[in-house]
Tab-separated table of all heavy atoms in Angstrom:
chain	number	residue	atom	x	y	z
A	13	VAL	N	1.113	21.480	-31.281
A	13	VAL	CA	0.040	22.442	-31.767
A	13	VAL	C	-0.615	23.125	-30.744
A	13	VAL	O	-1.265	22.598	-29.797
A	13	VAL	CB	-1.022	21.652	-32.754
A	13	VAL	CG1	-1.937	22.773	-33.351
A	13	VAL	CG2	-0.228	20.949	-33.902
A	14	LEU	N	-0.452	24.399	-30.702
A	14	LEU	CA	-0.997	25.266	-29.642
A	14	LEU	C	-1.658	26.446	-30.273
A	14	LEU	O	-1.285	26.997	-31.294
A	14	LEU	CB	0.164	25.871	-28.652
A	14	LEU	CG	0.927	24.861	-27.936
A	14	LEU	CD1	2.314	25.156	-27.902
A	14	LEU	CD2	0.321	24.608	-26.530
A	15	ASP	N	-2.796	26.939	-29.687
A	15	ASP	CA	-3.480	28.149	-30.253
A	15	ASP	C	-2.648	29.297	-30.132
A	15	ASP	O	-2.620	30.147	-31.130
A	15	ASP	CB	-4.770	28.362	-29.388
A	15	ASP	CG	-5.799	27.316	-29.648
A	15	ASP	OD1	-5.743	26.559	-30.699
A	15	ASP	OD2	-6.679	27.149	-28.747
A	16	ARG	N	-1.957	29.532	-29.095
A	16	ARG	CA	-1.048	30.604	-28.982
A	16	ARG	C	0.034	30.228	-27.821
A	16	ARG	O	-0.203	29.448	-27.044
A	16	ARG	CB	-1.570	31.951	-28.586
A	16	ARG	CG	-2.450	32.005	-27.271
A	16	ARG	CD	-3.264	33.171	-27.145
A	16	ARG	NE	-2.414	34.493	-27.283
A	16	ARG	CZ	-2.744	35.343	-28.103
A	16	ARG	NH1	-3.761	35.262	-29.003
A	16	ARG	NH2	-2.007	36.415	-28.216
A	42	ILE	N	3.719	24.552	-33.680
A	42	ILE	CA	2.833	25.240	-34.574
A	42	ILE	C	1.835	26.076	-33.831
A	42	ILE	O	1.090	25.458	-33.065
A	42	ILE	CB	2.205	24.213	-35.584
A	42	ILE	CG1	3.317	23.407	-36.219
A	42	ILE	CG2	1.360	24.897	-36.531
A	42	ILE	CD1	2.832	22.208	-37.079
A	43	THR	N	1.738	27.310	-34.019
A	43	THR	CA	0.899	28.110	-33.279
A	43	THR	C	0.249	29.246	-34.204
A	43	THR	O	0.861	29.663	-35.174
A	43	THR	CB	1.556	28.854	-32.055
A	43	THR	OG1	0.587	29.610	-31.370
A	43	THR	CG2	2.831	29.679	-32.626
A	44	GLY	N	-1.029	29.594	-33.787
A	44	GLY	CA	-1.728	30.514	-34.630
A	44	GLY	C	-1.410	32.031	-34.432
A	44	GLY	O	-1.595	32.851	-35.467
A	45	ALA	N	-0.951	32.363	-33.325
A	45	ALA	CA	-0.700	33.794	-32.972
A	45	ALA	C	0.436	33.954	-32.151
A	45	ALA	O	0.743	33.099	-31.211
A	45	ALA	CB	-2.028	34.485	-32.369
A	46	PRO	N	1.173	35.149	-32.122
A	46	PRO	CA	2.215	35.355	-31.129
A	46	PRO	C	1.623	35.320	-29.686
A	46	PRO	O	0.525	35.686	-29.498
A	46	PRO	CB	2.703	36.775	-31.515
A	46	PRO	CG	2.252	36.930	-32.908
A	46	PRO	CD	0.971	36.193	-33.083
A	61	VAL	N	6.613	27.897	-35.737
A	61	VAL	CA	6.026	28.180	-36.983
A	61	VAL	C	4.590	28.708	-36.850
A	61	VAL	O	3.770	28.182	-36.029
A	61	VAL	CB	5.928	26.749	-37.802
A	61	VAL	CG1	5.231	27.020	-39.158
A	61	VAL	CG2	7.345	26.187	-37.928
A	62	ARG	N	4.260	29.734	-37.545
A	62	ARG	CA	2.954	30.316	-37.526
A	62	ARG	C	1.968	29.798	-38.571
A	62	ARG	O	2.364	29.412	-39.684
A	62	ARG	CB	3.050	31.791	-37.786
A	62	ARG	CG	3.972	32.554	-36.931
A	62	ARG	CD	3.365	32.889	-35.610
A	62	ARG	NE	4.281	33.557	-34.811
A	62	ARG	CZ	4.458	33.185	-33.583
A	62	ARG	NH1	3.878	32.237	-33.015
A	62	ARG	NH2	5.488	33.821	-32.950
A	63	ALA	N	0.791	29.377	-38.052
A	63	ALA	CA	-0.149	28.886	-39.063
A	63	ALA	C	-1.573	29.355	-38.508
A	63	ALA	O	-2.222	28.722	-37.691
A	63	ALA	CB	-0.127	27.369	-39.033
A	64	ALA	N	-2.002	30.510	-38.986
A	64	ALA	CA	-3.303	31.031	-38.552
A	64	ALA	C	-4.406	30.593	-39.420
A	64	ALA	O	-4.381	30.635	-40.627
A	64	ALA	CB	-3.118	32.661	-38.585
A	65	GLY	N	-5.456	30.035	-38.884
A	65	GLY	CA	-6.652	29.547	-39.617
A	65	GLY	C	-6.514	28.014	-39.907
A	65	GLY	O	-5.309	27.478	-39.934
A	66	HIS	N	-7.576	27.391	-40.016
A	66	HIS	CA	-7.748	25.961	-40.292
A	66	HIS	C	-6.960	25.485	-41.492
A	66	HIS	O	-6.232	24.486	-41.475
A	66	HIS	CB	-9.141	25.457	-40.297
A	66	HIS	CG	-9.839	25.515	-38.916
A	66	HIS	ND1	-11.131	25.088	-38.653
A	66	HIS	CD2	-9.338	26.072	-37.799
A	66	HIS	CE1	-11.458	25.236	-37.504
A	66	HIS	NE2	-10.465	25.890	-36.929
A	67	GLY	N	-7.087	26.335	-42.493
A	67	GLY	CA	-6.411	26.022	-43.836
A	67	GLY	C	-4.981	25.995	-43.720
A	67	GLY	O	-4.325	24.961	-44.184
A	68	ALA	N	-4.376	26.977	-43.093
A	68	ALA	CA	-3.003	27.160	-42.995
A	68	ALA	C	-2.452	25.960	-42.035
A	68	ALA	O	-1.278	25.453	-42.230
A	68	ALA	CB	-2.628	28.467	-42.385
A	69	LEU	N	-3.179	25.660	-40.988
A	69	LEU	CA	-2.893	24.614	-40.083
A	69	LEU	C	-2.702	23.367	-40.694
A	69	LEU	O	-1.709	22.597	-40.590
A	69	LEU	CB	-3.735	24.655	-38.861
A	69	LEU	CG	-3.532	23.562	-37.838
A	69	LEU	CD1	-2.237	23.801	-37.102
A	69	LEU	CD2	-4.660	23.611	-36.741
A	70	ALA	N	-3.736	23.000	-41.431
A	70	ALA	CA	-3.696	21.638	-42.263
A	70	ALA	C	-2.577	21.702	-43.220
A	70	ALA	O	-1.843	20.679	-43.424
A	70	ALA	CB	-5.045	21.524	-42.928
A	71	GLU	N	-2.296	22.779	-43.977
A	71	GLU	CA	-1.135	22.829	-44.951
A	71	GLU	C	0.120	22.621	-44.233
A	71	GLU	O	1.095	21.835	-44.728
A	71	GLU	CB	-1.215	24.115	-45.718
A	71	GLU	CG	-0.172	24.307	-46.745
A	71	GLU	CD	-0.362	25.562	-47.581
A	71	GLU	OE1	-1.356	26.292	-47.442
A	71	GLU	OE2	0.667	25.896	-48.279
A	72	THR	N	0.361	23.295	-43.078
A	72	THR	CA	1.647	23.310	-42.389
A	72	THR	C	1.835	21.922	-41.884
A	72	THR	O	3.013	21.353	-41.960
A	72	THR	CB	1.687	24.322	-41.182
A	72	THR	OG1	1.450	25.628	-41.749
A	72	THR	CG2	2.941	24.260	-40.502
A	73	ILE	N	0.781	21.208	-41.300
A	73	ILE	CA	0.988	19.885	-40.708
A	73	ILE	C	1.258	18.886	-41.870
A	73	ILE	O	2.074	18.083	-41.736
A	73	ILE	CB	-0.259	19.449	-39.958
A	73	ILE	CG1	-0.256	20.254	-38.592
A	73	ILE	CG2	-0.149	18.049	-39.671
A	73	ILE	CD1	-1.464	19.998	-37.819
A	74	GLY	N	0.584	19.072	-42.917
A	74	GLY	CA	0.741	18.164	-44.052
A	74	GLY	C	2.163	18.221	-44.756
A	74	GLY	O	2.742	17.290	-45.233
A	87	THR	N	-9.752	21.405	-31.387
A	87	THR	CA	-9.922	20.152	-32.144
A	87	THR	C	-9.356	20.209	-33.607
A	87	THR	O	-9.011	19.240	-34.213
A	87	THR	CB	-11.409	19.865	-32.361
A	87	THR	OG1	-12.149	21.026	-32.992
A	87	THR	CG2	-12.149	19.559	-31.047
A	88	ALA	N	-9.120	21.562	-34.019
A	88	ALA	CA	-8.607	21.658	-35.414
A	88	ALA	C	-7.416	21.035	-35.658
A	88	ALA	O	-7.148	20.422	-36.781
A	88	ALA	CB	-8.510	23.186	-35.703
A	89	GLY	N	-6.355	21.027	-34.766
A	89	GLY	CA	-5.101	20.351	-34.936
A	89	GLY	C	-5.193	18.919	-35.168
A	89	GLY	O	-4.527	18.256	-36.077
A	90	ARG	N	-6.148	18.221	-34.359
A	90	ARG	CA	-6.274	16.822	-34.525
A	90	ARG	C	-6.810	16.425	-35.873
A	90	ARG	O	-6.522	15.432	-36.513
A	90	ARG	CB	-7.105	16.231	-33.401
A	90	ARG	CG	-6.367	16.132	-32.067
A	90	ARG	CD	-7.272	15.741	-30.852
A	90	ARG	NE	-8.024	16.786	-30.358
A	90	ARG	CZ	-9.085	16.637	-29.461
A	90	ARG	NH1	-9.419	15.522	-29.224
A	90	ARG	NH2	-9.695	17.684	-29.056
A	91	LEU	N	-7.840	17.112	-36.292
A	91	LEU	CA	-8.524	16.829	-37.566
A	91	LEU	C	-7.519	17.084	-38.759
A	91	LEU	O	-7.419	16.351	-39.709
A	91	LEU	CB	-9.796	17.670	-37.678
A	91	LEU	CG	-10.797	17.423	-36.689
A	91	LEU	CD1	-12.050	18.343	-36.834
A	91	LEU	CD2	-11.295	16.019	-36.819
A	92	ALA	N	-6.706	18.182	-38.662
A	92	ALA	CA	-5.759	18.425	-39.699
A	92	ALA	C	-4.730	17.376	-39.766
A	92	ALA	O	-4.256	16.930	-40.855
A	92	ALA	CB	-5.116	19.769	-39.404
A	93	ALA	N	-4.222	16.909	-38.565
A	93	ALA	CA	-3.315	15.831	-38.435
A	93	ALA	C	-3.777	14.574	-39.116
A	93	ALA	O	-3.144	13.845	-39.844
A	93	ALA	CB	-2.881	15.601	-37.131
A	95	ARG	N	-6.192	14.321	-41.388
A	95	ARG	CA	-6.345	14.522	-42.892
A	95	ARG	C	-4.926	14.399	-43.508
A	95	ARG	O	-4.800	13.936	-44.742
A	95	ARG	CB	-6.954	15.871	-43.133
A	95	ARG	CG	-8.418	15.906	-42.983
A	95	ARG	CD	-8.923	17.095	-43.627
A	95	ARG	NE	-8.378	18.404	-43.084
A	95	ARG	CZ	-8.962	19.021	-42.112
A	95	ARG	NH1	-9.958	18.539	-41.398
A	95	ARG	NH2	-8.436	20.213	-41.644
Side-chain angles (χ1 to χ4, degrees):
V13 179
L14 298 139
D15 292 337
R16 63 189 305 124
I42 303 175
T43 182
V61 176
R62 304 276 177 235
H66 290 188
L69 180 59
E71 182 178 347
T72 300
I73 291 176
T87 59
R90 284 178 278 170
L91 296 174
R95 287 196 296 271

